[in-house]
Amino acid sequence: MRPSKVVPFYFKAVGTKSNGEFQREDITILTIVTSNRFSVLAKLVKRYQGPISVALHVRSTPQMHRDQILDELHALYISTPGMSTYVDVHLITDEFDRQFNMWRNAARLFARTDFVMMLDVDFAICTDFRSKILSSPDTLRLLRSGEAAFVIPAFEYVNETEGRDESTFPKTKQELAALYEQGRIHVFHQAWEGGHNSSDYARYFNSSPGDVYKVLSYQYAYEPYVIFKRDAAPWCDERFIGYGGNKASCLYEMYLAGISFYVLSDDFLAHQSHAYAEDIRKAERRYNKQLYIEFRTEACLRALHRSIVLNELTTPRGLNVQGECQKIRGASALAIEMISQLA
């Protein structure tokens, strides 16, 4: 694959400070966009009213099509309230679709705040988690440490028609719980249990207001939407092209790096329904399933080496590596040997 052309700050927000920047201790939404999702991006901007770093992919040819998309982007940028204040757009042009992790890395690389959140653009932010986090000394302390990532649970409507108008989505947990009990809304991608079940939704719905609880049963396919310290987590593995395993691989390396996941029990996201290219998704998932098996082994070996060099393997920060790498063929024997030698 030829190198992509990346234009950082193709559009640069004027920011919220007089010097054109944002408060360092704020939360930037990291998202990736193609031209067919411009209208959803506009909704995200209007609802969030905070810093957003967007990686926009446009095919480099044909030029007429590319130029038309950039004209549409310009019109969107100047017409959407808040976009010129909050949104940085980083342009990526090449001939390769669905390089999701490369696009995520670009959005994160150019983010201008200390804390970031990976979020798919077609999710509606239903609660004001940003204000709660930034006003909570305990939460900020964990974020600043770089050892925590905060999970915002994700849901979707059972009937896709109900999930198309985000203005009708629940705004409080009480409203969400009522829809959940009625069977009208359920956990995002409920059929794929590995993706979100580690968040423990039974505990989520039974939690008291203000509760924040630690994820205790992590497993390797876990792919929630998380807020974390921008410079504290590994970068996403860019070998994952297309659907399947791409976001989970980002979270996997975060976990191996010693980052713990905590669920914010008052907050949630809701997916805005849209059609998927199912034939493409199935083919790409088959390929990425095999890649993910190899990736897990490599990631564990790297994490073991790092933990040994930094003398962290037998410390609390090394517990995730210990537990996870003992499960993997090709890494388990080495992990057990190293742990026994260092114990």
Side-chain angles (χ1 to χ4, degrees), residues 104-287:
R104 287 187 177 105
N105 284 342
R108 177 180 161 194
L109 178 64
F110 302 118
R112 294 191 276 158
T113 63
D114 289 345
F115 312 129
V116 295
M117 178 186 188
M118 287 194 296
L119 182 67
D120 294 343
V121 73
D122 47 8
F123 273 86
I125 295 173
C126 298
T127 55
D128 186 12
F129 57 79
R130 176 171 164 240
S131 295
K132 296 173 191 173
I133 289 173
L134 297 178
S135 62
S136 168
D138 290 339
T139 305
L140 280 175
R141 175 180 52 78
L142 282 170
L143 272 179
R144 290 168 183 149
S145 74
E147 298 177 0
F150 290 92
V151 176
I152 310 296
F155 296 84
E156 65 182 345
Y157 279 89
V158 175
N159 183 334
E160 289 189 6
T161 302
E162 284 196 274
R164 291 175 183 163
D165 182 3
E166 57 93 24
S167 68
T168 66
F169 288 2
K171 305 297 190 298
T172 66
K173 189 174 176 182
Q174 290 77 14
E175 294 175 1
L176 173 73
L179 292 170
Y180 188 82
E181 290 170 5
Q182 294 165 18
R184 292 170 57 193
I185 205 166
H186 59 198
V187 174
F188 181 61
H189 285 176
Q190 181 170 271
W192 176 232
E193 293 183 358
H196 294 267
N197 277 10
S198 290
S199 296
D200 191 350
Y201 281 85
R203 182 172 181 180
Y204 171 79
F205 280 111
N206 288 319
S207 293
S208 300
D211 279 357
V212 178
Y213 61 89
K214 188 175 182 179
V215 171
L216 300 177
S217 57
Y218 172 86
Q219 57 84 40
Y220 65 84
Y222 191 42
E223 53 177 9
Y225 296 97
V226 296
I227 299 160
F228 58 98
K229 188 176 182 180
R230 175 187 174 275
D231 295 334
W235 297 91
C236 296
D237 193 310
E238 296 183 4
R239 289 175 295 175
F240 287 88
I241 307 295
Y243 295 101
N246 55 81
K247 184 153 62 69
S249 70
C250 304
L251 278 289
Y252 189 72
E253 294 213 68
M254 289 174 65
Y255 183 74
L256 292 181
I259 294 174
S260 297
F261 300 111
Y262 295 85
V263 178
L264 299 179
S265 69
D266 288 342
D267 298 294
F268 60 94
L269 309 164
H271 184 247
Q272 299 172 76
S273 303
H274 62 87
Y276 289 104
E278 290 298 341
D279 290 344
I280 293 174
R281 282 158 60 94
K282 288 179 182 177
E284 291 176 344
R285 280 172 170 163
R286 281 196 299 270
Y287 171 81

